[in-house]
Amino acid sequence: MVGEHMETIKLDSWKAVSNYIDKGFWQPAPTYFEHIVQRNTYYPPHAFSKGQLASKSWLLKELNTSVVDPAFEISLRNGVVGLSDPTVAILGCWIGTMVHSLHQHFTIERIYGIDKDPESIEKSETLNRDFVQDGWKYKGVTHDVDLLDCSDMHFETGGELINCKPDWIINTSCEHMSTLWFDSIDEDQLVIMQTNNSEEFAGHINPVDSIQDMQQMYPLKDTIYVGEMITPAYTRFMQIGHK
């Protein structure tokens, strides 16, 4: 379903991208960056590229706009209201760069970061160790997203068997995977997704060419937000809503 308004953010130079980041929502505490600098050979540098940071900042900004203070409830045109203090699943989380800012801007019960690469999950838990140690406010999960039922997740992590239905499903790596994750989502789960039009990067098996292509591949019955961010390297597309 095409949204009532489609936003285009045009960042036609890397300086414009940098300015967008500087004014944006992706603003962790200084100690976060100190941790990264001290381990500059541990984390992949491209996880903190300008394109990555701009896209995360964009997501946080529009998700914040979609969430109503102070109860953090999602108001939908069909009258359905999302839960307060949600449990969140980040699919294809990589090293979990967005975890800190999600907890900074929203009241979240727990975030599960799911990725099939165990090394990435280990790094995600190191990067977000304060949240791991705080009652699993963040917990990494090594699992193939294609094998998960997003409406009824079963997985093992930290020696425990977990069964949960996340309230929010975040996937900023749709171009890296099939649509099976989306097919398994229930209508009462909030979907926050990004993809792009780049076929040049390794692992991009499922890119799209336009907003319309994204919405045909991932149709939502209620679209809260839909837009595109044009950068010098590629165009990233995002939609937020319910199936």
Side-chain angles (χ1 to χ4, degrees):
M1 174 180 175
V2 177
E4 294 179 2
H5 172 69
M6 293 185 293
E7 181 181 24
T8 295
I9 301 170
K10 189 171 184 179
L11 306 175
D12 53 6
S13 68
W14 289 118
K15 181 178 180 180
V17 175
S18 296
N19 290 338
Y20 185 89
I21 296 167
D22 290 342
K23 297 176 182 178
F25 270 67
W26 200 86
Q27 300 291 343
T31 53
Y32 182 89
F33 294 106
E34 290 173 8
H35 171 91
I36 295 167
V37 170
Q38 291 169 359
R39 297 161 178 81
N40 63 339
T41 60
Y42 180 66
Y43 297 113
H46 48 297
F48 305 98
S49 69
K50 290 182 179 180
Q52 288 287 335
L53 299 189
S55 67
K56 301 301 186 294
S57 184
W58 178 34
L59 185 153
L60 291 162
K61 173 180 178 292
E62 297 307 331
L63 182 57
N64 184 73
T65 301
S66 303
V67 171
V68 180
D69 290 327
F72 299 99
E73 294 178 335
I74 303 300
S75 300
L76 301 179
R77 289 181 290 277
N78 63 6
V80 176
V81 179
L83 296 175
S84 301
D85 301 337
T87 295
V88 179
I90 304 177
L91 309 184
C93 73
W94 199 7
I95 64 167
T97 56
M98 201 163 45
V99 171
H100 186 283
S101 290
L102 282 168
H103 275 301
Q104 181 180 15
H105 291 291
F106 306 101
T107 302
I108 292 173
E109 178 69 21
R110 179 171 293 164
I111 299 174
Y112 290 112
I114 304 171
D115 200 291
K116 64 182 179 181
D117 177 20
E119 183 177 349
S120 293
I121 289 301
E122 179 182 345
K123 291 180 178 181
S124 80
E125 292 204 333
T126 302
L127 182 62
N128 299 289
R129 60 186 177 185
D130 289 346
F131 297 111
V132 175
Q133 294 169 0
D134 183 13
W136 281 10
K137 287 291 185 181
Y138 173 74
K139 191 71 183 83
V141 179
T142 302
H143 205 293
D144 187 340
V145 170
D146 280 347
L147 302 180
L148 276 179
D149 180 348
C150 289
S151 65
D152 185 22
M153 288 188 175
H154 294 263
F155 53 79
E156 185 275 334
T157 184
E160 293 190 20
L161 295 175
I162 304 296
N163 174 215
C164 69
K165 181 179 182 179
D167 305 298
W168 296 1
I169 303 290
I170 299 177
N171 188 342
T172 63
S173 307
C174 299
E175 67 277 6
H176 285 272
M177 58 191 75
S178 75
T179 61
L180 290 174
W181 69 273
F182 184 82
D183 297 338
S184 69
I185 290 174
D186 209 346
E187 61 184 11
D188 62 348
Q189 293 173 289
L190 182 68
V191 182
I192 305 106
M193 58 163 290
Q194 290 183 346
T195 185
N196 63 52
N197 66 346
S198 176
E199 298 179 354
E200 301 172 6
F201 294 96
H204 286 198
I205 63 171
N206 200 21
V208 300
D209 292 325
S210 66
I211 286 175
Q212 290 75 20
D213 285 348
M214 173 183 65
Q215 292 188 305
Q216 289 177 7
M217 189 176 294
Y218 309 95
L220 299 178
K221 289 183 180 178
D222 192 287
T223 303
I224 298 172
Y225 175 85
V226 61
E228 61 183 357
M229 174 179 281
I230 301 171
T231 77
Y234 53 80
T235 298
R236 187 172 290 271
F237 309 101
M238 179 167 69
Q239 62 176 351
I240 302 171
H242 288 69
K243 285 178 66 178

